[in-house]
Amino acid sequence: MKTIVIVGGSKGIGNAVLMQNLENCRIINISRTAPDITHPNLIHFAIDVLGDPLPEFESMDALVYCPGSINLKPILGLSLDDFRNDFEINVVGAVKVIQHYLPALKKGENPSIVLFSSVAAKLGMPFHASIAASKAAVEGLVKSLGAELAPLIRINAIAPTITETSLSASILRNDRMKENMKERHPLKNYLKPEEVGRMAGYLISEDAASISGQVFAMDYGLVSFKL
């Protein structure tokens, strides 16, 4: 049975990845809060990855790092600590986890890593300076590690547009704001966690054996089209 370690699998996109793979894989969830489910294939560690020691595992087949942030402020409203905190969550946390679990991944079967970027790393949007800077660093990490870890370990990233999770609740807090957000996208919709979870599931599967060092936009046409 394939072993997937998910960092941040209790909510949002991470939880979608967890739920979609739970029946057929051994899932190890590392998160500050426990998911709202128990299952024989699920092990949970209540850990803050930035501050706490990480548990040890002999081997694993996939690592999915899901923590992120939405810190939307004008540049003069962002403190240096805002930039540092976003970088810690999105980049330093991912680096810490990858460094720690690289020996276990090397013992896995066709091992792979999935990280998360954002459409804001490609499309200039007001008030996204801190998150865009952090996510651009994630994309650079994917490119560099894709080359460094080949041919043994694959690493890719998903760059979603806004996704309906607790993290984006203030942006999608009523029907009018949801409709306005749909209208901003050429394909007239925004993402659900399950859509992104399926992409992550594909990228850690054997079907994606030829893919590494790539960043996949899931954006309902936001970056590619101007209508």
Side-chain angles (χ1 to χ4, degrees), residues 5 10 29 35 39 49 62 70 75 84 86 89-90 94 112 119 127 129 131 151 159 182 195 197 212 225:
V5 173
S10 298
N29 180 51
H39 192 281
V49 294
I70 299 181
I75 185 65
R84 292 188 185 101
D86 285 338
I89 293 167
N90 290 284
S112 61
V119 292
F127 314 128
I131 188 64
K182 288 180 180 180
E195 296 175 78
S212 189
F225 307 144

Side-chain angles (χ1 to χ4, degrees), residues 2 61 108-112 152 154 204 206:
K2 188 172 187 173
D61 305 301
E109 184 176 347
N110 301 315
S112 61
L152 184 58
R154 297 185 300 106
I204 62 176
E206 301 307 310

